[in-house]
Amino acid sequence: MTDNQVVSSFPLPPSIYELYSDGAVGPPPPVPVHGTYSMFGRAYTTEYALPTLAEAGRQQLFPSGPSMKPRAELKRLNRSLMAKFVELLDVLTRTTDDPLSSGETAAARCVGDMELLLVNVHDVLNSRYRPHQARLTLLDTLDAQLAARRRLVARLHAAMGDSQALVQADAVACLLRHASAASPLPLPGRREAADVRVSSSMPTPAAAAMTVDGQARRTHLLRSAMQRVALASGHSC
């Protein structure tokens, strides 16, 4: 590339995109790779497996197999690590060796042993407890999503109940308006005025009978309205 060549900050995509433009059917995608493949000069595999300590060139300080108890082994490795740390402090107080030197000194051996113990602790945690941690994390995420969905369903049910109550109230009011328009009897809200009109135009026994008959008819109208609302709550005026 020459010094005076201009390079765009947003270059065009590769020319292969033209094979798929305007509804054209381009070549099919490549077949997925299975097994081992090479990328940037390094070999990779599609089958992921946690490398063992032997494959990493490290000594394994705990037994293998399903009979191995991770908790007991972690406690044992932790006790060994604490003992080796105390030994390192004792060596440092008695000698002036550099603990990070590569020579075969007592301090360097203690540091190497502690490093090996920490590598084994790390391997036990990754091989036995990381899958368990991943499962628990997934369960917590699913529980949170389930709780959110349940709260949403409860809110929907509450809104549906409020809407149904409003529809029923509107239907009852509509039916009462239709009933009052079709019947000459006064509504319950005008009870006192109706009783006054009846008592002023008729004798007292007849007025009492008319009042009782009107109450019975109003009760019948209300019951009929409630039955119609129960059968068809979506009635509109």
Side-chain angles (χ1 to χ4, degrees), residues 6-14 17:
V6 178
V7 179
S8 175
S9 301
F10 301 97
L12 295 175
Y17 81 95

Side-chain angles (χ1 to χ4, degrees), residues 28-207:
V31 180
V33 178
H34 296 283
T36 305
Y37 63 96
S38 178
M39 184 175 63
F40 300 112
R42 296 186 59 182
Y44 296 90
T45 179
T46 57
E47 299 177 358
Y48 175 77
L50 187 68
T52 61
L53 291 176
E55 294 175 354
R58 294 283 189 171
Q59 180 184 359
Q60 183 171 325
L61 303 179
F62 55 89
S64 302
S67 60
M68 191 268 287
K69 298 180 180 179
R71 183 177 300 180
E73 293 299 327
L74 287 174
K75 289 182 178 180
R76 185 180 63 84
L77 291 172
N78 186 62
R79 287 194 296 267
S80 300
L81 183 62
M82 294 296 102
K84 190 60 65 174
F85 180 72
V86 173
E87 182 181 351
L88 175 61
L89 293 179
D90 184 67
V91 170
L92 292 177
T93 56
R94 294 175 181 274
T95 63
T96 58
D97 297 334
D98 186 2
L100 301 180
S101 63
S102 58
E104 290 297 329
T105 60
R109 286 194 298 271
C110 290
V111 171
D113 293 340
M114 292 174 63
E115 181 183 0
L116 181 60
L117 288 169
L118 289 173
V119 168
N120 278 264
V121 169
H122 192 267
D123 186 77
V124 173
L125 292 174
N126 283 338
S127 61
R128 295 304 179 95
Y129 285 108
R130 292 301 182 190
H132 180 66
Q133 180 187 15
R135 287 191 294 268
L136 291 181
T137 302
L138 179 60
L139 289 176
D140 291 340
T141 303
L142 294 177
D143 289 340
Q145 293 178 358
L146 181 61
R149 286 180 172 87
R150 285 177 175 173
R151 289 193 297 268
L152 179 60
V153 170
R155 291 174 57 186
L156 288 175
H157 285 173
M160 290 173 59
D162 296 340
S163 301
Q164 187 176 7
L166 290 175
V167 170
Q168 290 180 353
D170 183 70
V172 170
C174 181
L175 291 174
L176 290 177
R177 284 196 296 271
H178 284 297
S180 62
S183 176
L185 294 177
L187 292 176
R190 291 174 287 178
R191 178 177 178 180
E192 293 78 2
D195 293 341
V196 170
R197 290 197 300 270
V198 171
S199 60
S200 61
S201 60
M202 299 180 63
T204 303

